[in-house]
Amino acid sequence: MEKRNRERTYCWELKEVHCHQCGKLQPEDAVYCNKCGKQLLIEADEQSLVTAIDAVIDTIENESAVSAELSHSYIQAQQDVVVIRQRNGGSWWMWLTPVALAVLAAAAVTVYYGHESRLNDKVILLQQQAREDALAGKYEEALASLDEAAGFRPDFAPVQADKDIIKRAAGYEELLESAKGHLAGGKLIEAERLLIQVKEDLKDTVEPIFTQAKKSLDSLSGELALHKLTQELDTSTTINELAAKLNIASGLDGDEAIAVREQIKAKIVDIGYEEADSLLNKKKYNDAMDAVDKALLYVSDDERLLGLKSKISNEKDKYEQAEQQRLEQAMQKAAEEDLKNQTAAVEVVRIEGTLDEFGDLIIHGELKNAATRPIYTVVVEYTVYDAQHNKIGTGTAEATPDYIEPGEAMSFSGTVYGVYVENTTVVVDHATWYLD
């Protein structure tokens, strides 16, 4: 810039001022013509043109390196104009300088616009390439393209925004890879913590770049669920617990999920068979049938359970036939047993209370007809005690079925409201019934 200023100063020192009215050569600092007295206009016009030309040159030099050559060309043209003025008088300046300025400005704008347009096109192509690489999971390549674009347009906000979102996607990939490694090493707690973190971050995202991360998250979440199910199978000892895990496994895909489902079903068969067989040995045919039917809800075609169900039915029929024979024999001793039938016909088999979520105690009891004759309309009165044997409630319930053969079971249910106490004891205080 200093060199240009020096050259410009030198050029203006060579200028000659002529009166636009009479053409008389004037001193360099003259304001009025020393011949005709007219005010001189050339200085003011030249000065305004110089100011305009300086603005164009500054713009060209500041915007791009390409414009430096145009600036140099303009300075040379300016010196040529001065030489022409010296040869031909002040009249040339009045039309040649504006023309030169207009040509120079148009050329500068055209070159600058073309240069900037090419840069913009290159930045857009680099952005597009970066986005394609990012969607393909090539995050390093994508970031390299955006770094190159930022070199051309450092202050272009969309480039920085793309870099931020790609870095975010790459971060999720690292977290998911870490979670995958934890799963492979059996570190389920660490894996679950990372998956929860990624899931929370991704829940409100809609950008396509996060699609792969969401798929990986779903896949790893499924693997985590399978690992947890497998670990928990050894501690699951009831059909209800196993049924809940079977429901979870049914929502998972893949060969591993199929294998886990079969493993759960096999354990349901084993538990159902063992419970039903145990009840059968105790001649609790109804309970045994309930147990085997419960298992068959989840494995309806299992041959072991179907065979056991048939056995229970046969044993129950035999038992009922034998019981009938015993009842016929017992009738001969009715007189001797009448006292017992009147005073101790109802036997408590089992009674339990469960506190529900509202603080109410749900009571379920199983009774037995201990008489030698059928009884019906059995009503029991019970009392609830806390752990210190304090009385906290009472109730009355009618047993079902209404008609009970000797030795057969009956049950009753009731509710004591507002208990709010764990570890309670329920005692049947009194029972009434009618003999058939």
Side-chain angles (χ1 to χ4, degrees):
M1 181 63 72
E2 291 179 0
K3 180 179 180 182
R4 192 193 77 185
N5 290 336
R6 288 197 297 272
E7 291 174 346
R8 186 181 302 167
T9 301
Y10 174 77
C11 292
W12 292 121
E13 286 172 355
L14 296 176
K15 73 177 180 178
E16 293 178 350
V17 180
H18 294 263
C19 176
H20 68 285
Q21 181 68 26
C22 65
K24 173 69 174 178
L25 179 65
Q26 302 295 318
E28 186 173 347
D29 56 351
V31 178
Y32 295 94
C33 177
N34 57 14
K35 180 179 180 181
C36 66
K38 282 286 185 179
Q39 185 177 359
L40 300 177
L41 302 177
I42 296 176
E43 182 174 0
D45 293 342
E46 289 177 349
Q47 187 58 46
S48 63
L49 289 173
V50 169
T51 301
I53 292 170
D54 286 345
V56 173
I57 293 174
D58 290 340
T59 301
I60 293 171
E61 289 179 343
N62 291 334
E63 292 294 345
S64 70
V66 175
S67 300
E69 184 176 350
L70 291 174
S71 301
H72 177 72
S73 298
Y74 167 73
I75 294 169
Q76 184 62 45
Q78 187 186 50
Q79 293 173 350
D80 293 342
V81 169
V82 172
V83 173
I84 293 172
R85 289 182 63 252
Q86 290 175 338
R87 291 178 181 173
N88 300 287
S91 60
W92 281 90
W93 175 255
M94 299 302 293
W95 64 269
L96 183 58
T97 299
V99 172
L101 177 59
V103 172
L104 177 61
V109 170
T110 301
V111 172
Y112 176 69
Y113 179 78
H115 175 70
E116 294 300 304
S117 296
R118 287 191 295 274
L119 283 183
N120 290 340
D121 291 343
K122 192 162 187 178
V123 169
I124 292 173
L125 286 175
L126 287 169
Q127 274 190 288
Q128 183 63 34
Q129 183 61 49
R131 289 171 182 174
E132 291 176 1
D133 287 339
L135 290 175
K138 301 176 182 179
Y139 301 119
E140 292 184 3
E141 292 87 339
L143 290 173
S145 295
L146 291 177
D147 286 339
E148 185 178 352
F152 295 119
R153 287 284 183 263
D155 299 325
F156 192 42
V159 171
Q160 185 58 49
D162 285 353
K163 288 178 67 175
D164 292 341
I165 201 169
I166 290 173
K167 288 179 180 179
R168 185 178 170 190
Y172 292 148
E173 183 181 42
E174 291 180 2
L175 291 176
L176 292 171
E177 283 297 319
S178 297
K180 185 176 182 180
H182 288 320
L183 283 176
K187 299 178 180 179
L188 303 189
I189 295 177
E190 292 84 347
E192 186 172 21
R193 176 178 57 80
L194 291 176
L195 293 178
I196 290 174
Q197 177 184 344
V198 175
K199 184 178 181 180
E200 183 66 22
D201 289 345
L202 285 174
K203 66 179 182 181
D204 296 325
T205 59
V206 295
E207 295 84 354
I209 192 174
F210 298 122
T211 300
Q212 184 57 47
K214 291 178 180 179
K215 290 181 179 179
S216 298
L217 175 64
D218 291 341
S219 176
L220 291 174
S221 298
E223 288 185 32
L224 174 64
L226 287 175
H227 281 285
K228 292 175 69 175
L229 284 176
T230 303
Q231 283 190 352
E232 294 169 358
L233 280 182
D234 292 338
T235 59
S236 300
T237 57
T238 68
I239 291 179
N240 286 339
E241 291 175 346
L242 291 169
K245 290 173 174 52
L246 181 61
N247 185 51
I248 295 174
S250 297
L252 303 175
D253 298 323
D255 294 338
E256 292 185 8
I258 294 174
V260 170
R261 287 197 290 271
E262 294 304 316
Q263 187 177 354
I264 294 173
K265 289 180 179 180
K267 193 162 185 178
I268 288 176
V269 170
D270 291 341
I271 292 176
Y273 190 95
E274 290 175 4
E275 289 182 357
D277 189 58
S278 176
L279 291 168
L280 176 60
N281 292 333
K282 296 175 183 178
K283 303 187 184 308
K284 296 182 178 181
Y285 304 107
N286 292 332
D287 291 341
M289 190 66 74
D290 289 343
V292 76
D293 284 340
K294 187 175 183 178
L296 285 170
L297 287 174
Y298 307 100
V299 279
S300 59
D301 57 350
D302 185 77
E303 294 182 358
R304 289 179 64 202
L305 292 177
L306 292 173
L308 180 60
K309 183 175 183 178
S310 178
K311 180 180 179 181
I312 292 171
S313 180
N314 293 333
E315 291 289 332
K316 181 181 180 181
D317 290 342
K318 291 179 181 179
Y319 174 80
E320 290 175 348
Q321 293 173 6
E323 188 67 15
Q324 182 65 33
Q325 293 176 359
R326 287 193 295 270
L327 288 174
E328 292 174 356
Q329 295 173 0
M331 290 177 63
Q332 299 175 5
K333 301 179 182 180
E336 299 175 359
E337 297 173 349
D338 184 66
L339 180 61
K340 179 180 179 180
N341 293 340
Q342 294 289 341
T343 59
V346 176
E347 176 183 340
V348 177
V349 177
R350 180 173 64 86
I351 188 169
E352 62 183 11
T354 303
L355 195 68
D356 68 11
E357 57 183 314
F358 304 105
D360 302 328
L361 188 67
I362 308 302
I363 298 171
H364 179 74
E366 291 185 7
L367 308 174
K368 179 181 178 182
N369 180 4
T372 59
R373 294 164 54 188
I375 60 176
Y376 61 93
T377 313
V378 178
V379 177
V380 296
E381 299 175 5
Y382 54 86
T383 301
V384 180
Y385 299 91
D386 62 14
Q388 289 73 39
H389 205 66
N390 296 315
K391 180 178 178 181
I392 59 175
T394 60
T396 301
E398 185 173 346
T400 57
D402 183 68
Y403 188 87
I404 308 99
E405 293 286 350
E408 288 189 343
M410 64 194 108
S411 63
F412 72 91
S413 298
T415 302
V416 179
Y417 298 97
V419 173
Y420 305 106
V421 176
E422 298 281 357
N423 300 324
T424 55
T425 302
V426 183
V427 177
V428 174
D429 300 315
H430 182 69
T432 59
W433 63 91
Y434 294 93
L435 289 169
D436 190 359

